[in-house]
Amino acid sequence: MAELVYMAICSLDGYVADADGEFGWAAPDEQVHAFVNDLSRPLGIQLIGRRTYALMQYWETAATDGSGEPVEEDFTRIWQSIDKIVYSRTLDSVSAPRTRLEREFDPAAVRALKESAQAPLAVGGPDLAASAFRAGLVDELQLFLVPVLVGGGTRALPDDVRLELELVEDRRFDAGTVFLRHRVVSGPPV
């Protein structure tokens, strides 16, 4: 069975965006970006919500002709090679290749995807991830903690989920960002 991974870049106090919805402080430097690329490279399916889909649209058409930064062009190729499922009740359609639209997050359907997938799946965006956490579908957390406190905003992790985790990897980057990879040991009933 394929694993479902939740990856987020967040402030040290646990937010992916501040109270004004800003997240520029979370922009990865080249070293972190290259590491994110390596984590993303094996993914087969990315589950995302409407806001994450809109945010990631840039990568659907970004340059891969050698005119941009190599680490960004690498991510563009990776992103374009991943199948995506967008969960939204308000979008009329999706325009990106390798992308389909689902109206509702269905834990049973995601569980079936995990059972049939040949490569890891990822869930992007804290709201959609919260649904996956509550359904007991997340197998691994990959968090990048940026050395900044933003004091409020959009939380990276849900408040109403209790999980026991095992730290399986950590890394400190030159600019102070810290990566923590945890496996879910036990959590909500499946």
Side-chain angles (χ1 to χ4, degrees):
M1 176 163 21
E3 293 192 337
L4 180 64
V5 175
Y6 174 54
M7 181 192 305
I9 299 175
C10 59
S11 64
L12 192 57
D13 53 349
Y15 297 95
V16 295
D18 65 23
D20 296 322
E22 299 296 324
F23 51 87
W25 47 265
D29 64 16
E30 186 174 341
Q31 185 184 34
V32 172
H33 206 308
F35 191 78
V36 168
N37 289 359
D38 289 341
L39 291 172
S40 300
R41 202 172 312 282
L43 297 176
I45 301 172
Q46 177 78 45
L47 312 176
I48 54 178
R50 177 188 51 81
R51 287 189 297 261
T52 302
Y53 172 68
L55 176 69
M56 298 304 285
Q57 281 288 35
Y58 168 80
W59 299 106
E60 293 295 341
T61 58
T64 57
D65 61 4
S67 64
E69 294 296 324
V71 71
E72 291 181 4
E73 289 194 14
D74 186 33
F75 184 77
T76 298
R77 284 187 287 277
I78 293 165
W79 182 256
Q80 291 174 358
S81 73
I82 298 171
D83 292 326
K84 294 147 210 88
I85 302 173
V86 179
Y87 295 89
S88 173
R89 293 183 194 104
T90 59
L91 283 176
D92 292 328
S93 63
V94 291
S95 59
R98 301 183 71 132
T99 304
R100 77 173 199 246
L101 178 63
E102 293 288 337
R103 293 292 173 205
E104 300 288 332
F105 180 81
D106 178 1
V110 174
R111 195 167 286 109
L113 270 177
K114 287 178 62 173
E115 290 173 1
S116 65
Q118 300 300 310
L121 293 82
V123 59
D127 293 338
L128 186 61
S131 296
F133 278 116
R134 288 183 195 109
L137 294 168
V138 176
D139 300 294
E140 184 172 293
L141 288 78
Q142 298 175 352
L143 299 178
F144 291 84
L145 302 178
V146 178
V148 62
L149 299 177
V150 299
T154 305
R155 293 189 42 79
L157 298 168
D159 287 326
D160 59 348
V161 173
R162 182 182 177 103
L163 297 174
E164 292 191 30
L165 307 171
E166 173 188 9
L167 179 64
V168 294
E169 183 180 357
D170 61 273
R171 178 173 175 182
R172 182 187 182 284
F173 294 91
D174 293 342
T177 295
V178 174
F179 171 72
L180 301 172
R181 183 167 68 100
H182 288 90
R183 302 223 17 91
V184 174
V185 176
S186 66
V190 178

